[in-house]
Amino acid sequence: MLLRKMPTHSILWWMASIILFTFFLPDFLLGQSQKASGEAEKGIRVNSEEVFQERLVHQGAEVRFSLQGISQREPMEGDFVTIKFSIKDEATQMPLSALRPSVWIDLEKRASEKLSPLSCKDKIGLYLQGTFGYRPDIDLNSYFILSLNHDGTISVTDPIVSFSGMTQLFGMIYLKRPGEDWVSSRDEKRLFVTVPKAGHVAVIDLERFKIIKEIPSGDSPFRIALQPDGRYLWVGNNSRERGRSGVTIIDAEELKVVGSIVTGEGHHEIAFTDDSLYAFVTNRKEGTLSIIDVRTLRKVKDLQTGKEPVSIAYSGMSKAVYVVHEGDGTIAVVDGEKHGVIHRILLKPGLRSLRFAPGGRYGLVLNSKEDTLNVFDASDHQVLHTIRVGKEPDQIAFTKYNAYIRLKGAPEVTLVPLNQLGKEKALPVVKVPVGQGVPGNSPHHSIADAIVPTPEEGHALITHPLDRMIYYYMEGMSGPMGSFRSYGGSIQKAVRIVDRSIREVAQGVYASQIRIPASGKYQVAFLLDSPRILHCFEFSAKPNPMIAKKNTTLRVEILNGDEPLIAGKKFRLRFKLIDPLHESPIRNLKDVVVQVTLAPGLWAERYTVRAKDDGVYEVLFTPPRGGTYYFTFASPSRKIGFSQVPYHILQAKEEGASK
């Protein structure tokens, strides 16, 4: 029961504490750096494929650190490079697979640091703690949570580092109007968001969490899908005018429209063959399926499939497209090559979402009217299970072990074990209470996923728009273990993960792509449990003459940071905002917000700042107790979030304490 009430950041802190305890055992148990227990070979070697940086031998393992993606030169700021570790057995030269290295990258001697130089071991210890005051420039063990909000914003949340103890807000992305659906590029470096009322697709750089382009995408762009080979984005236009209702096709690399096809009236769902040769688009009002040749971007035919098609999915096992119809309760099976209806699965009206379980054999389709889940086998199209799962099921998501069913009519989620699909016995279900209110009572919903798995195996995030929460659930528990609340009045409609963790990309090769944020010397802290290796590799990045050298957001100058800060007494913080590009003051901003946080997240408040005529800004607050206070700054009108401006630190003393 205690675990159920723990906030997510506390869970992660608890896990990190276990690691930290192990980490600070005596050095002879942990192993030493290369000076004491191994040998390291350094030196830059540049060829057409990679920059070799360092080779380390320790406890019978050989680790080769390198950068990839740079052609015939040394790295420089702004480059996208692949950080790579090749790990082998020193004696046999056999790759060491299925390891879980932890990696952090930090620019040495950052101007904002006022700490004395730390050893590699000390740095890793601080990284493992997840403290607010000492974080790496790049964390390759983390992920970010993105929530699509009702007010035209996308919240970026760091679930590991708690900035305030109440929210883990990392940044905000501001759309011109509310977004409806989203999809990421295959390399997860870009996010594409449909904005129906603005008539465009917003393209977001997931390295910087910034909008880099808005692509006009026809009338009322709703559903968006990326074909399997990643070449084209397909956007469904839910126009009320028949001549404008169809799909817009966008080149995902060039970020430009390459075609527009009228398909039919009504909402559109989109699917593809696994070889990306054909696209299939439903037309809900007309009850048809439009089949499009991707090579020519021309419509092949319109196929009458049934009444009110609402969902579509392709199975690689049967090489067929399955079109779900809410109106007549049928699933039309369309041959992916011959483009004709080859079978109909007869169910009941009220069908909603269809998704295939991993592998493409078992199709799961919900009936929101009957409150049921139907499972069929794509090999013979026989219905295997029909079970009641809860009130108004409307979405399906998968982890490795379970199917998650979101219920709009009840504050709970239903789990179905995937290893029981197709078995003769009754299909078991587990109902997990999530939140307080009924999600369907919220007026704010999206066609994008409300449930997604996290990178941790057997974990999921569940959006609850009525509670204004995203719940964190670990399989096997009786309820969520924590939650991420909304802020600033935002209501989360959908959620997704941006995974930044390092992965095994080939046997014994662990890699992740990064963008080098600045020029200078970097330390790459590397931690491996077994064999036990702790080491800081290094690389340097040269200045890039094509990149402006100054930050063009804003700089904060504290005017009275030397005044005493006393617990329980009001303190008026005075500061100026400077435009770094022109070194000029920024006056009369009306929406500056200051967040004051007592480390390590014991207390936090946000304050609206008062702008004075002389260019000075003031905020009045009362520190509740002695301790270290972090001040972070944001301005929505300038699209600047709390993570984009360097924080400031002030120390508060208890009244009567000696200086």
Side-chain angles (χ1 to χ4, degrees):
M1 293 300 293
L2 289 175
L3 283 175
R4 288 186 58 188
K5 297 181 180 179
M6 290 174 65
T8 303
H9 63 81
S10 297
I11 299 163
L12 295 169
W13 167 257
W14 173 70
M15 295 169 66
S17 298
I18 296 174
I19 300 172
L20 201 61
F21 176 77
T22 304
F23 179 80
F24 282 109
L25 286 173
D27 284 345
F28 70 89
L29 293 176
L30 295 178
Q32 300 288 318
S33 67
Q34 81 276 9
K35 289 183 179 180
S37 56
E39 58 179 278
E41 174 191 350
K42 293 185 179 181
I44 297 175
R45 299 176 189 171
V46 182
N47 58 36
S48 60
E49 294 183 353
E50 68 180 16
V51 178
F52 171 63
Q53 296 294 145
E54 191 172 347
R55 172 180 173 269
L56 172 71
V57 177
H58 178 64
Q59 289 195 355
E62 175 188 298
V63 181
R64 189 175 188 273
F65 164 65
S66 61
L67 305 181
Q68 279 190 326
I70 308 162
S71 178
Q72 300 293 342
R73 62 171 174 81
E74 295 182 30
M76 63 175 58
E77 62 176 318
D79 278 343
F80 282 94
V81 300
T82 298
I83 300 289
K84 188 177 81 170
F85 297 90
S86 298
I87 308 176
K88 298 179 180 180
D89 183 279
E90 182 192 8
T92 65
Q93 287 296 293
M94 293 294 292
L96 298 180
S97 189
L99 304 178
R100 298 182 66 87
S102 298
V103 179
W104 302 265
I105 303 175
D106 215 6
L107 183 63
E108 285 192 345
K109 298 179 180 178
R110 291 175 292 176
S112 62
E113 286 185 1
K114 296 183 179 179
L115 300 174
S116 58
L118 298 173
S119 68
C120 180
K121 180 178 177 179
D122 290 339
K123 277 193 171 185
I124 293 177
L126 290 170
Y127 297 153
L128 289 171
Q129 291 181 52
T131 58
F132 178 77
Y134 198 88
R135 299 298 302 155
D137 290 294
I138 301 172
D139 188 341
L140 294 183
N141 321 289
S142 65
Y143 63 90
F144 290 97
I145 300 170
L146 271 60
S147 64
L148 187 64
N149 303 325
H150 84 293
D151 56 1
T153 62
I154 296 175
S155 307
V156 183
T157 300
D158 184 340
I160 296 177
V161 181
S162 173
F163 286 114
S164 70
M166 296 181 292
T167 180
Q168 297 78 29
L169 181 64
F170 181 83
M172 294 285 283
I173 302 168
Y174 296 88
L175 305 172
K176 287 187 175 177
R177 301 294 293 273
E180 182 61 35
D181 193 19
W182 51 13
V183 67
S184 62
S185 58
R186 291 206 305 171
D187 61 7
E188 296 187 351
K189 299 304 179 185
R190 290 173 175 170
L191 180 67
F192 305 94
V193 186
T194 57
V195 188
K197 293 183 179 179
H200 66 238
V201 168
V203 185
I204 296 169
D205 180 347
L206 290 178
E207 290 289 330
R208 297 173 294 166
F209 297 115
K210 292 286 189 181
I211 296 175
I212 58 175
K213 192 167 185 179
E214 293 170 341
I215 306 172
S217 305
D219 189 7
S220 191
F222 258 67
R223 177 65 80 188
I224 188 169
L226 181 69
Q227 63 188 51
D229 65 6
R231 182 180 180 186
Y232 293 140
L233 288 159
W234 295 70
V235 181
N237 298 115
N238 289 8
S239 176
R240 295 182 180 181
E241 299 180 28
R242 192 184 189 284
R244 303 175 66 184
S245 182
V247 288
T248 298
I249 305 104
I250 298 171
D251 187 307
E253 191 64 35
E254 299 294 329
L255 303 182
K256 63 181 181 180
V257 174
V258 295
S260 180
I261 301 172
V262 174
T263 60
E265 291 185 85
H267 174 73
H268 309 287
E269 292 291 320
I270 305 166
F272 309 95
T273 53
D274 49 10
D275 55 12
S276 297
L277 293 181
Y278 291 97
F280 303 87
V281 181
T282 63
N283 309 297
R284 179 168 182 172
K285 190 172 181 180
E286 296 190 4
T288 59
L289 176 71
S290 296
I291 303 171
I292 299 169
D293 188 327
V294 175
R295 292 161 293 187
T296 62
L297 296 183
R298 292 185 178 180
K299 184 166 58 174
V300 174
K301 67 190 304 185
D302 288 321
L303 189 65
Q304 199 76 37
T305 56
K307 186 178 179 182
E308 296 181 39
V310 293
S311 187
I312 186 173
Y314 178 83
S315 169
M317 172 175 282
S318 63
K319 303 296 181 182
V321 179
Y322 296 76
V323 185
V324 176
H325 302 90
E326 183 178 25
D328 57 26
T330 65
I331 301 176
V333 184
V334 179
D335 188 291
E337 296 179 356
K338 298 180 180 179
H339 305 151
V341 176
I342 58 175
H343 190 80
R344 289 188 184 274
I345 302 173
L346 304 179
L347 298 169
K348 294 182 179 181
L351 299 181
R352 293 295 300 173
S353 300
L354 165 66
R355 287 202 173 169
F356 279 94
R361 177 173 181 178
Y362 297 111
L364 285 71
V365 60
L366 301 175
N367 191 314
S368 59
K369 185 177 180 181
E370 300 290 330
D371 299 336
T372 57
L373 165 69
N374 299 280
V375 181
F376 64 87
D377 191 330
S379 65
D380 58 12
H381 304 131
Q382 296 299 307
V383 177
L384 305 175
H385 309 282
T386 299
I387 58 172
R388 300 185 75 82
V389 291
K391 193 172 181 180
E392 294 183 60
D394 76 325
Q395 285 192 7
I396 304 171
F398 297 104
T399 61
K400 182 177 180 179
Y401 303 109
N402 290 287
Y404 283 65
I405 299 170
R406 201 272 291 264
L407 307 177
K408 289 185 72 173
E412 58 189 14
V413 170
T414 300
L415 273 62
V416 179
L418 296 177
N419 63 0
Q420 298 300 309
L421 298 180
K423 302 292 178 64
E424 292 186 2
K425 60 182 180 180
L427 192 62
V429 298
V430 175
K431 292 188 176 181
V432 178
V434 177
Q436 303 298 319
V438 176
N441 289 343
S442 171
H444 303 291
H445 294 275
S446 168
I447 58 175
D449 288 344
I451 302 175
V452 296
T454 73
E456 303 111 337
E457 194 171 277
H459 298 65
L461 298 174
I462 303 166
T463 306
H464 197 306
L466 194 68
D467 286 6
R468 302 190 179 194
M469 291 280 190
I470 296 175
Y471 290 97
Y472 177 90
Y473 176 69
M474 178 187 295
E475 290 173 4
M477 304 302 292
S478 59
M481 295 184 68
S483 62
F484 304 97
R485 70 178 181 86
S486 64
Y487 35 83
S490 296
I491 299 173
Q492 305 101 320
K493 302 189 298 181
V495 64
R496 71 182 301 114
I497 294 292
V498 177
D499 191 358
R500 294 284 175 83
S501 59
I502 194 164
R503 306 175 186 176
E504 186 172 14
V505 296
Q507 193 171 22
V509 179
Y510 304 84
S512 181
Q513 189 181 56
I514 67 166
R515 180 180 183 273
I516 300 176
S519 61
K521 186 177 180 181
Y522 286 85
Q523 279 199 338
V524 182
F526 179 89
L527 175 64
L528 192 63
D529 285 328
S530 181
R532 187 68 176 183
I533 299 175
L534 184 159
H535 185 74
C536 284
F537 298 92
E538 295 179 351
F539 74 91
S540 294
K542 299 191 301 183
N544 189 335
M546 302 300 294
I547 296 178
K549 297 301 185 293
K550 292 184 178 181
N551 184 349
T552 58
T553 55
L554 59 82
R555 186 174 75 247
V556 178
E557 290 187 357
I558 303 297
L559 301 178
N560 60 333
D562 56 349
E563 294 181 9
L565 190 62
I566 307 299
K569 291 192 174 182
K570 292 182 179 180
F571 180 82
R572 190 178 302 275
L573 181 71
R574 302 174 67 248
F575 59 93
K576 286 186 175 182
L577 301 178
I578 306 297
D579 180 349
L581 187 61
H582 304 98
E583 289 298 330
S584 58
I586 303 171
R587 301 175 181 272
N588 297 318
L589 276 183
K590 303 298 184 183
D591 63 346
V592 178
V593 179
V594 174
Q595 178 167 292
V596 185
T597 305
L598 172 60
L602 302 174
W603 170 89
E605 288 288 348
R606 289 186 182 178
Y607 302 91
T608 301
V609 172
R610 177 190 174 194
K612 301 186 69 179
D613 293 337
D614 59 357
V616 174
Y617 296 82
E618 292 185 348
V619 60
L620 184 67
F621 83 104
T622 303
R625 52 172 288 186
T628 301
Y629 286 82
Y630 291 88
F631 296 80
T632 52
F633 305 81
S635 172
S637 66
R638 293 178 67 95
K639 298 184 178 180
I640 295 173
F642 289 105
S643 64
Q644 296 169 256
V645 179
Y647 56 81
H648 287 260
I649 300 174
L650 292 179
Q651 191 75 27
K653 296 183 178 296
E654 297 291 348
E655 187 173 8
S658 60
K659 295 184 179 180

